[in-house]
C-alpha cells in the first residue's frame, strides 16, 4: 500500500538534472530556512522567488494565491491627482442622495438598495473623476457595466451634475407616469443614460468580456479603430457564483484583452449572509483569475493598516489575516475593541504583543472603517495599474464594508440588502459623519431632504470639469445620427423566387446561401457578423471559411490540415466569422455586442447567430431578454428546428417549443418560414426595418428569430398572387387553393382551410392531395410564416378597440370569406398555432408535436406525434364530420386506411 505521506514522483523526476549538486544546495537551503526560521519564513521565500521568476519570464506555473494584503504597497502608490478634498465632498453628496432616494421611495413600497453603493462609492467616484472616458471625443468612449444594485448612486451623481432633477429621483422605480427612473440599468427604459443591462446576475461579466473582444474585432477588421476604448465591469463578489460570471475568463486571457478590467466589490456579503462564511472569497477569486491568466490586483486594506503592517516583524499579522474566515471578518465589523483584541490578536502571542501597542480607537478604525475600496488613493493606484498593464485583462479585488457610512444599523449586517430606509436620526448621524451642510429644519414632516450644493457650486463645477476633460458625461448612451444602410441589390433576394426546381434544398441551406450573397454586397457586406457555436459544418457554412475567414487576433499560426481543399479552415486577424466553440452563452454575448454597436460605437453591424434551435432560446433566453433590454438588432436563426426534422437525435435535440419562448419576448419578431423565398422576403424586410428607412411609429429596436430546417425538400416558386410579400411579413397568406393546386375534388365538395408553418406545410400539401383523391374534400393551404406576429397584431387591434378605434386583426382579414373550418399544423407543440385561435372566426382545431422528443426517422416521429399527412387527413375529416359535411364513418375508415 502506498504511503500517502511519502513524497510522490513528479514530472520533474523525468527531466535530466544537469547539475545535481546545485539542485541539492537549493534544497538544503530551503530545509535550513524551514528549520531555523520556521515554515512560514520558508513559504515566504518560496513565494517571493516564484514571483521573481514570473516577473522575469521564467517558465514556471503561476503563483495562484498571494498574501491577504494589498498588491500595491503604500510606498508604491502613485500620488492621487486632482483635489481629494473636493472629490470627498462630491462623494458625500452622492452617498446622501442615493440613500435619500431609496428611503423616500420606500413610502410607496417600491423597494431599492442602499448598502451596495454605500460600499462601492469610491470604486465609482474614482473612475468617474479620473478614468472613465466619455463619448464626446471619438464617439465610443469607455464601456461601463454598472452593478445593478448600485444604480441609486449613479442616479445621485447624475442629479449632482444636472442631468436629473428632484422629480426624477422622487420617481425612482415609478416609471408608469413617464418621468421615472428604472430600478436597475435598463437601456430600454432610460436609453440616454444606460448602455448595458447588468442586474440579471452573471450576464454583466460575460457580456463585458465579449464586448471587449468585439472592440478588438471592429479594430482588427478595419470597421472602426476603438482601441482607445476600455471596458469596465463592476461586479459583486456574490455575483461571481453565477457560472456565466466566470465562463469566459480563459477567452479574455487567451486573446490578451488588456482593454478590459473587472472591479469586484468584495464586501464579503451576498443577499442572505456571507459569500464564503468559512472561507475567503478574495483568495478564491484570486486563484481562479490567476489560474485563467488574468492580472490580479488586490486592494484590501486602507491606510490605517499601515501602522499595523509596520509592526508585523514576524509575519504573524499577515498569517492571521489569511486564517480568519470572511464571516468572522464581518463579525469584527460589528464588535468592540475588547472582542477583537481577544479573538483576533489573542490567537498568536506575537499579535497579542502587537495589540498592546494599539489603542482601542486604532483597532476600531482598522477593523470597522479602513478598507482599500473606501480610499480614493488606494483605488486610484489599482485602476492606474490596471489600465497600464499590457498583455492580459485585469481584475481588481477591492475589499469594502457593505453599508459603509450608513451607521451601525447597516454596516456588515446580514439583512442590509433587504433594508430599504434609514430613520431620520440615522440620516442626521450620517450627515454629521459626512459633514454635509443640511439643517435639522430641512427634514420637513420627517421627510429626508435631497442635498445639492448648487448648480454653480465648486463641487459641481469640479465634477463637470473632470468629466469634460475625460470626454463628457458617463455613463451615457448615444445613438449617433446614422444614415440608413442602403438596401442590398434585389438580385440576392429575387434568386429565390423561382424555386429550386427538382433539386431538394433545406431551408437552412437557403438561408446560408442568402447570407453568402449578402456579404458580397459592396455597401453593406462588411457589416455582417456571422456567429456560430462550433456547428458551422452542420449548417453548411464551411463554404464561408475561406472567403470570409474566422476571426482570430493571432491570425493563423499553423498550416490547416485541409489547406489543399477548396473550403479549408481559414483563420485571420481580420476574419469576419465568429466561430465560438461550444458556447451558446458566449455566442449570444457576441451577438449582443454586435447588435448594439450602432449605439456603442456609432457603427451599424448586422449580426446573425445560427444555432441548434433547441439550444438557443431554451439555454440562453435570459440573454435574449438582455438583448431586448439593450435595444439590439439582428437575426437569430434557430437551425435544425422542429420536433421531428432532426432524425435520430432524440429528446434533447428535438425542439418543439422555441417559438413559445420567443413569443414571451416583446422585442422578438418570430418567424417559422416554410420556403426559401419566404426567408428572402423576411430578411429583406428585417434589413429595412432595423437598418433602413423606418416607417412612422415603427420601432427599429427589434430582433428577428427565424426557424430553419435541415430536411432537404423541393423549394417551390413564389406564388404570383398579389399580397404574398405582405402576407409573409404579417404572418399568413394563401399558398394555394384546391383548384390552383390541381387536385381533383367534386363540385360543391366540402372545404377546409389548412394552415401550416415551417416544414409542416409539406405535410399539409400532401394531406391536401389525399383529402381530394381519397375523400372528395377540397382543401386550401395557407403558409403561416409567423403565429407570433399574427398574435401581436391581433392584440394591438384589441387594444385599439378599447380606445374606440375600429381595427380588424390581420388574421381575421386574411381568412375572411374562407369556407369551412380551419386546421392548423406545425412541428411544434399545439400552443404555438393556438396563439391565434381566439381571433379566427371559423371553427378552429390544431395539431402539433406535444410531449418529449424521441429518436427515430422523420416519418416514424411524425406518425408518433400525429402530424404526418394521414394524421392531418383524419383530423380534417373529424372536423368536417362534426359539422355534418362528411359521414361520421369517414373518420374511422380513414384511420383504418392509413393504419393509424
Amino acid at each position: 500500500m502506498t504511503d500517502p505521506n511519502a513524497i510522490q514522483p513528479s514530472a520533474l523526476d523525468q527531466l535530466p538534472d544537469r547539475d545535481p549538486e546545485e539542485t541539492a544546495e537549493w534544497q538544503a537551503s530551503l530545509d535550513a530556512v524551514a528549520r531555523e526560521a520556521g515554515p512560514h519564513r520558508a513559504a515566504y521565500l518560496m513565494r517571493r522567488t516564484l514571483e521573481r521568476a514570473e516577473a522575469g519570464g521564467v517558465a514556471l506555473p503561476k503563483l495562484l494565491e498571494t498574501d491577504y494584503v494589498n498588491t500595491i504597497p503604500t510606498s508604491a502608490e502613485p500620488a492621487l491627482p486632482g483635489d481629494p478634498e473636493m472629490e470627498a465632498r462630491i462623494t458625500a453628496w452622492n452617498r446622501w442622495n442615493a440613500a435619500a432616494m431609496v428611503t423616500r421611495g420606500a413610502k410607496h413600497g417600491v423597494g431599492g438598495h442602499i448598502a451596495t453603493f454605500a460600499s462601492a462609492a469610491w470604486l465609482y467616484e474614482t473612475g468617474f473623476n479620473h478614468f472613465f472616458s466619455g463619448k464626446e471625443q471619438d464617439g465610443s468612449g469607455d464601456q461601463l457595466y454598472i452593478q445593478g444594485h448600485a444604480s441609486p448612486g449613479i442616479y445621485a451623481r447624475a442629479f449632482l451634475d444636472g442631468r436629473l432633477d428632484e422629480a426624477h429621483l422622487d420617481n425612482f422605480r415609478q416609471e408608469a407616469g413617464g418621468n421615472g427612473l428604472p430600478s436597475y440599468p435598463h437601456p430600454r427604459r432610460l436609453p440616454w443614460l444606460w448602455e448595458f443591462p447588468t442586474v440579471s446576475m452573471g450576464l454583466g461579466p460575460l457580456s463585458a468580456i465579449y464586448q471587449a473582444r468585439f472592440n478588438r474585432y471592429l479594430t482588427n477588421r478595419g470597421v472602426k479603430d476603438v482601441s482607445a476604448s476600455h471596458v469596465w465591469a463592476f461586479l459583486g463578489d456574490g455575483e461571481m457564483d453565477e457560472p456565466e460570471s466566470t465562463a469566459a475568463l480563459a477567452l479574455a486571457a487567451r486573446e490578451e484583452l488588456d482593454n478590459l478590467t473587472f472591479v469586484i466589490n468584495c464586501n464579503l456579503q451576498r443577499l442572505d449572509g456571507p459569500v464564503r462564511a468559512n472561507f475567503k472569497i478574495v483568495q478564491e477569486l484570486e486563484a481562479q483569475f490567476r489560474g485563467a491568466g488574468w492580472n490580479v490586483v488586490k486592494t484590501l486594506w486602507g491606510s490605517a493598516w499601515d501602522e499595523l503592517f509596520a509592526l508585523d516583524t514576524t509575519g504573524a499579522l499577515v498569517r492571521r489575516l489569511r486564517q480568519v474566515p470572511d464571516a468572522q471578518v464581518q463579525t469584527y465589523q460589528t464588535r468592540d475593541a475588547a472582542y477583537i483584541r481577544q479573538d483576533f490578536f489573542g490567537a498568536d502571542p506575537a499579535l497579542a504583543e502587537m495589540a498592546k501597542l494599539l489603542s482601542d480607537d486604532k483597532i476600531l478604525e482598522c477593523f470597522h472603517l479602513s478598507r482599500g475600496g473606501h480610499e480614493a488613493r488606494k483605488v486610484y493606484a489599482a485602476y492606474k495599474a490596471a489600465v497600464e498593464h499590457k498583455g492580459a485583462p485585469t481584475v481588481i479585488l477591492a475589499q469594502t464594508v457593505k453599508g459603509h457610512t450608513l451607521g451601525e444599523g447597516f454596516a456588515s449586517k446580514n439583512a442590509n440588502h433587504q433594508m430599504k430606509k434609514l430613520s431620520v436620526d440615522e440620516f442626521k448621524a450620517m450627515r454629521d459623519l459626512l459633514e454635509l451642510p443640511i439643517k435639522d429644519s430641512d427634514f420637513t414632516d420627517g421627510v429626508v431632504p435631497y442635498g445639492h450644493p448648487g448648480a454653480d457650486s465648486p463641487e459641481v463645477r469640479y465634477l463637470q470639469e473632470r468629466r469634460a476633460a475625460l470626454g463628457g458625461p458617463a455613463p451615457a448612451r448615444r445613438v449617433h445620427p446614422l444614415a440608413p444602410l442602403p438596401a442590398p441589390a434585389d438580385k440576392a433576394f429575387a434568386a429565390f423566387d423561382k424555386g429550386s426546381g427538382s433539386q431538394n434544398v433545406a431551408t437552412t441551406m437557403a438561408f446560408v446561401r442568402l447570407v453568402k450573397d449578402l456579404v458580397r454586397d459592396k455597401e453593406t457586406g462588411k457589416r455582417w457578423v456571422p456567429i456560430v457555436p462550433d456547428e458551422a459544418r452542420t449548417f453548411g457554412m464551411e463554404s464561408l471559411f475561406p472567403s470570409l475567414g474566422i476571426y482570430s487576433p493571432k491570425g493563423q499560426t499553423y498550416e490547416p490540415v485541409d489547406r489543399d481543399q477548396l473550403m479549408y479552415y481559414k483563420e485571420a486577424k481580420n476574419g469576419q466569422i465568429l466561430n465560438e466553440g461550444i458556447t451558446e452563452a458566449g455566442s449570444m454575448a457576441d451577438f449582443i455586442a454586435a447588435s448594439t454597436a450602432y449605439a456603442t460605437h456609432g457603427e451599424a453591424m448586422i449580426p446573425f447567430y445560427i444555432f441548434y434551435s433547441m439550444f438557443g432560446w431554451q439555454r440562453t433566453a435570459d440573454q435574449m431578454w438582455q438583448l431586448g433590454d439593450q435595444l439590439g438588432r439582428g437575426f437569430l436563426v434557430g437551425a435544425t428546428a422542429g420536433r421531428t426534422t432532426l432524425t435520430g437525435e432524440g429528446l434533447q435535440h428535438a425542439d418543439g417549443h422555441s417559438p413559445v419562448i420567443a413569443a414571451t419576448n416583446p422585442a422578438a419578431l418570430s418567424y417559422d418560414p416554410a420556403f426559401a423565398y419566404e426567408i428572402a422576403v423576411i430578411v429583406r424586410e428585417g434589413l429595412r426595418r432595423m437598418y433602413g428607412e423606418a416607417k412612422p411609429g415603427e420601432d427599429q429596436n427589434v430582433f428577428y428569430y427565424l426557424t430553419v430546417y435541415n430536411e432537404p425538400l423541393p423549394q417551390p416558386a413564389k406564388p404570383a398572387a398579389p399580397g404574398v410579400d405582405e402576407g409573409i411579413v404579417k404572418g399568413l397568406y394563401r399558398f394555394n387553393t384546391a383548384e390552383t393546386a390541381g387536385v381533383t375534388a367534386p363540385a360543391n365538395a366540402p372545404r377546409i382551410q389548412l394552415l401550416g408553418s415551417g416544414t409542416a406545410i409539406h405535410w399539409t400539401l400532401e394531406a391536401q392531395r389525399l383529402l381530394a383523391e381519397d375523400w372528395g374534400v377540397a382543401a386550401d393551404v395557407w403558409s403561416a410564416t409567423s403565429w407570433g406576429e399574427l398574435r401581436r397584431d391581433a392584440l394591438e387591434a384589441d387594444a385599439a378597440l378599447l380606445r374606440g378605434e375600429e381595427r380588424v386583426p390581420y388574421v381575421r382579414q386574411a381568412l375572411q370569406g374562407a369556407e369551412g373550418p380551419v386546421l392548423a399544423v406545425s412541428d411544434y407543440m399545439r400552443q404555438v398555432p393556438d396563439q391565434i385561435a381566439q381571433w379566427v372566426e371559423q371553427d378552429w382545431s390544431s395539431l402539433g408535436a406535444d410531449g418529449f422528443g424521441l429518436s427515430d426517422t422523420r416519418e416514424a416521429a411524425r406518425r408518433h406525434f400525429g402530424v404526418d399527412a394521414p394524421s392531418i387527413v383524419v383530423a380534417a375529416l373529424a372536423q368536417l364530420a362534426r359539422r355534418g359535411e362528411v359521414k361520421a364513418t369517414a373518420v374511422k375508415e380513414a384511420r383504418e386506411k392509413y393504419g393509424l
Side-chain angles (χ1 to χ4, degrees):
M1 183 175 178
T2 304
D3 180 1
N5 298 315
I7 297 176
Q8 301 299 315
S10 71
L12 292 176
D13 295 329
Q14 301 180 43
L15 302 177
D17 190 342
R18 294 184 298 177
D19 193 340
E21 185 176 347
E22 181 183 37
T23 303
E25 290 175 358
W26 277 77
Q27 293 170 336
S29 297
L30 179 63
D31 293 342
V33 171
R35 184 171 57 253
E36 300 297 329
H40 297 301
R41 178 61 181 170
Y44 175 86
L45 290 176
M46 287 300 299
R47 286 198 299 272
R48 292 297 176 264
T49 302
L50 285 171
E51 287 172 354
R52 175 59 64 88
E54 184 178 335
V58 178
L60 285 173
K62 288 183 178 293
L63 187 66
L64 295 186
E65 282 191 33
T66 60
D67 288 324
Y68 203 69
V69 296
N70 295 347
T71 301
I72 304 170
T74 301
S75 59
E77 291 172 0
L80 180 63
D83 186 338
E85 292 185 3
M86 183 67 73
E87 292 174 17
R89 292 204 298 273
I90 291 170
T91 304
W93 285 115
N94 291 339
R95 286 182 181 279
W96 177 272
N97 288 320
M101 179 195 326
V102 177
T103 298
R104 287 168 67 124
K107 65 183 179 182
H108 301 295
V110 295
H113 301 282
I114 300 178
T116 294
F117 179 72
S119 69
W122 278 114
L123 302 180
Y124 291 106
E125 292 298 322
T126 304
F128 286 130
N129 288 328
H130 301 288
F131 290 94
F132 303 156
S133 294
K135 291 182 172 292
E136 294 178 0
Q137 292 174 345
D138 66 355
S140 293
D142 288 352
Q143 288 81 60
L144 308 180
Y145 288 77
I146 305 294
Q147 190 179 4
H149 293 153
S151 64
I154 309 306
Y155 290 140
R157 194 171 218 275
F159 169 65
L160 203 65
D161 73 10
R163 293 195 290 164
L164 294 175
D165 57 28
E166 288 193 12
H168 288 110
L169 301 193
D170 265 346
N171 283 289
F172 174 57
R173 292 194 170 202
Q174 299 170 73
E175 299 178 74
N179 196 36
L181 300 178
S183 52
Y184 303 124
H186 291 314
R188 184 170 285 275
R189 292 300 185 207
L190 201 62
W192 61 267
L193 181 73
W194 298 121
E195 278 196 284
F196 307 108
T198 56
V199 81
S200 190
M201 304 297 281
L203 299 189
L206 179 68
S207 294
I209 289 174
Y210 280 88
Q211 181 65 57
R213 195 282 196 91
F214 190 73
N215 290 357
R216 289 281 171 84
Y217 172 89
L218 287 178
T219 300
N220 289 336
R221 284 196 54 214
V223 175
K224 181 181 181 181
D225 184 356
V226 295
S227 55
S229 291
H230 199 88
V231 178
W232 300 82
F234 289 84
L235 318 168
D237 48 1
E239 181 180 4
M240 301 311 293
D241 285 348
E242 291 283 4
E244 294 89 350
S245 296
T246 55
L249 298 186
L251 177 142
R254 183 169 66 246
E255 299 202 1
E256 300 178 355
L257 298 181
D258 49 26
N259 60 339
L260 170 67
T261 298
F262 275 16
V263 181
I264 303 181
N265 179 15
C266 297
N267 56 36
L268 314 185
Q269 287 183 252
R270 55 162 66 104
L271 275 65
D272 293 328
V275 177
R276 293 290 183 272
N278 297 297
F279 307 94
K280 301 190 79 64
I281 185 60
V282 168
Q283 299 299 91
E284 178 182 320
L285 291 174
E286 178 185 28
Q288 194 168 13
F289 278 85
R290 282 184 180 274
W294 287 53
N295 175 46
V296 179
V297 177
K298 294 197 290 192
T299 302
L300 307 179
W301 307 111
S303 56
W305 283 82
D306 290 348
E307 180 182 340
L308 275 67
F309 288 125
L311 295 173
D312 185 27
T313 57
T314 65
L317 176 62
V318 174
R319 291 196 298 274
R320 182 65 177 142
L321 289 174
R322 285 178 63 98
Q323 294 168 356
V324 177
D326 284 351
Q328 191 64 18
V329 173
Q330 184 181 342
T331 297
Y332 293 148
Q333 175 70 33
T334 64
R335 299 301 178 89
D336 59 19
Y339 178 89
I340 299 171
R341 284 182 187 278
Q342 178 180 353
D343 191 86
F344 182 84
F345 291 98
D348 186 296
L351 290 179
E353 290 299 312
M354 179 191 297
K356 294 177 181 179
L357 304 175
L358 304 174
S359 67
D360 284 357
D361 287 344
K362 182 65 177 181
I363 289 175
L364 293 179
E365 180 186 14
C366 289
F367 283 84
H368 283 196
L369 302 174
S370 188
R371 299 290 186 273
H374 295 323
E375 295 189 13
R377 178 170 174 171
K378 303 289 185 185
V379 176
Y380 179 85
Y383 286 8
K384 189 171 188 292
V387 297
E388 291 178 353
H389 185 81
K390 301 303 176 186
T394 294
V395 59
I396 295 169
L397 303 174
Q399 186 162 267
T400 66
V401 174
K402 194 167 186 177
H404 184 60
T405 73
L406 297 180
E408 294 181 0
F410 261 85
S412 286
K413 295 298 176 66
N414 280 339
N416 61 20
H417 191 85
Q418 280 72 33
M419 297 163 69
K420 311 301 182 187
K421 59 184 177 180
L422 279 72
S423 68
V424 169
D425 288 341
E426 287 171 326
F427 265 110
K428 290 178 179 179
M430 180 183 178
R431 171 201 62 189
D432 297 340
L433 175 66
L434 298 176
E435 299 180 348
L436 292 172
I438 297 173
K439 302 185 294 293
D440 285 356
S441 58
D442 293 333
F443 291 81
T444 307
D445 297 326
V447 177
V448 58
Y450 295 121
H452 200 292
D456 196 39
S457 65
E459 292 91 337
V460 173
R461 288 201 306 271
Y462 181 89
L463 181 155
Q464 293 175 342
E465 288 168 1
R466 291 304 311 139
R467 290 311 315 156
L470 288 166
R477 182 178 182 272
R478 297 286 186 269
V479 179
H480 310 275
L482 296 176
L485 292 183
D490 285 341
K491 180 180 178 182
F493 305 103
F496 295 89
D497 290 353
K498 61 184 179 182
S500 64
S502 60
Q503 182 182 6
N504 289 338
V505 177
T507 52
T508 301
M509 296 299 100
F511 177 83
V512 172
R513 177 189 161 186
L514 175 61
V515 170
K516 190 174 182 180
D517 291 340
L518 292 175
V519 295
R520 294 172 178 159
D521 186 85
K522 293 181 180 179
E523 296 290 335
T524 60
K526 71 175 183 178
R527 299 194 175 276
W528 283 87
V529 183
I531 303 167
V532 60
D534 197 38
E535 291 284 1
R537 297 183 191 278
T538 302
F539 307 139
M541 290 176 60
E542 67 270 27
S543 62
L544 300 177
F545 288 172
S547 57
L548 300 184
I550 299 166
Y551 172 74
S552 169
K554 297 287 187 182
Q556 193 155 37
T557 61
Y558 61 92
E559 183 177 356
V561 67
D562 54 359
R563 182 62 182 86
D564 58 342
Q565 298 178 16
L566 181 64
M567 293 183 289
Y568 70 97
Y569 195 83
K570 178 187 175 182
E571 295 188 81
K573 190 172 183 178
N574 64 346
Q576 195 164 350
I577 301 170
L578 291 172
N579 193 327
E580 291 301 3
I582 305 175
T583 168
E584 285 80 12
S587 299
M588 266 307 302
D590 266 335
F591 187 91
I592 292 169
S595 70
T596 54
Y598 72 92
T600 309
H601 294 300
E603 294 288 342
M605 305 301 289
I606 311 170
F608 84 85
Y609 164 34
I610 187 168
F611 50 88
Y612 263 74
S613 66
M614 184 70 167
F615 304 143
W617 283 92
Q618 175 169 292
R619 302 183 73 172
T620 56
D622 198 12
Q623 288 176 285
M624 274 74 164
W625 278 97
Q626 179 189 10
L627 167 65
D629 191 351
Q630 201 168 318
L631 308 174
R633 306 169 183 174
F635 297 95
L636 296 175
V637 183
T640 60
R643 183 146 280 165
T644 69
T645 57
L646 191 58
T647 57
E649 293 286 356
L651 189 150
Q652 292 210 358
H653 286 67
D655 170 28
H657 55 275
S658 70
V660 177
I661 306 175
T664 65
N665 192 307
L669 278 60
S670 178
Y671 285 87
D672 186 27
F675 305 124
Y677 67 79
E678 293 178 353
I679 292 173
V681 171
I682 294 165
V683 171
R684 179 166 56 189
E685 170 64 10
L687 290 173
R688 181 208 62 78
R689 176 165 179 174
M690 295 185 291
Y691 302 97
E693 292 283 357
K695 298 175 182 176
E698 190 173 52
D699 185 5
Q700 287 189 284
N701 298 315
V702 296
F703 60 92
Y704 283 67
Y705 175 53
L706 279 70
T707 47
V708 293
Y709 300 86
N710 71 326
E711 185 174 10
L713 291 164
Q715 296 297 324
K718 182 161 66 172
V724 170
D725 283 12
E726 179 189 21
I728 291 171
V729 172
K730 290 189 173 182
L732 182 69
Y733 69 97
R734 182 152 45 196
F735 176 72
N736 68 19
T737 64
E739 292 73 22
T740 59
V743 295
T744 303
N748 300 318
R751 188 172 288 269
I752 189 169
Q753 308 298 317
L754 301 179
L755 278 57
S757 70
T759 195
I761 203 167
H762 296 280
W763 324 328
T764 63
L765 289 169
E766 174 62 12
Q768 179 188 49
R769 183 185 65 80
L770 293 176
L771 282 166
E773 294 180 358
D774 294 350
W775 308 99
V777 172
D780 300 339
V781 173
W782 299 70
S783 179
T785 54
S786 179
W787 309 103
E789 286 307 290
L790 291 173
R791 178 178 176 81
R792 193 193 307 264
D793 171 80
L795 290 172
E796 292 172 357
D798 284 356
L801 285 173
L802 292 176
R803 295 192 300 268
E805 303 170 17
E806 286 295 327
R807 182 174 163 191
V808 179
Y810 173 79
V811 63
R812 188 169 295 169
Q813 295 178 45
L815 290 171
Q816 187 174 13
E819 298 177 36
V822 169
L823 175 60
V825 188
S826 82
D827 202 15
Y828 300 94
M829 54 198 303
R830 288 176 60 182
Q831 186 176 340
V832 174
D834 284 348
Q835 293 179 81
I836 66 169
Q838 71 185 82
W839 293 282
V840 174
E841 293 182 318
Q842 293 86 346
D843 290 343
W844 172 272
S845 184
S846 64
L847 295 175
D850 287 80
F852 289 108
L854 76 163
S855 301
D856 214 312
T857 64
R858 294 185 180 110
E859 293 74 17
R862 286 162 188 167
R863 176 57 60 91
H864 169 81
F865 287 111
V867 292
D868 60 351
S871 298
I872 296 172
V873 170
V874 171
L877 292 174
Q879 271 189 290
L880 294 169
R882 284 194 295 270
R883 295 162 58 94
E885 297 181 21
V886 300
K887 295 179 180 179
T889 57
V891 179
K892 180 176 183 295
E893 292 170 4
R895 284 201 304 266
E896 293 173 350
K897 177 178 178 65
Y898 302 126
L900 297 178

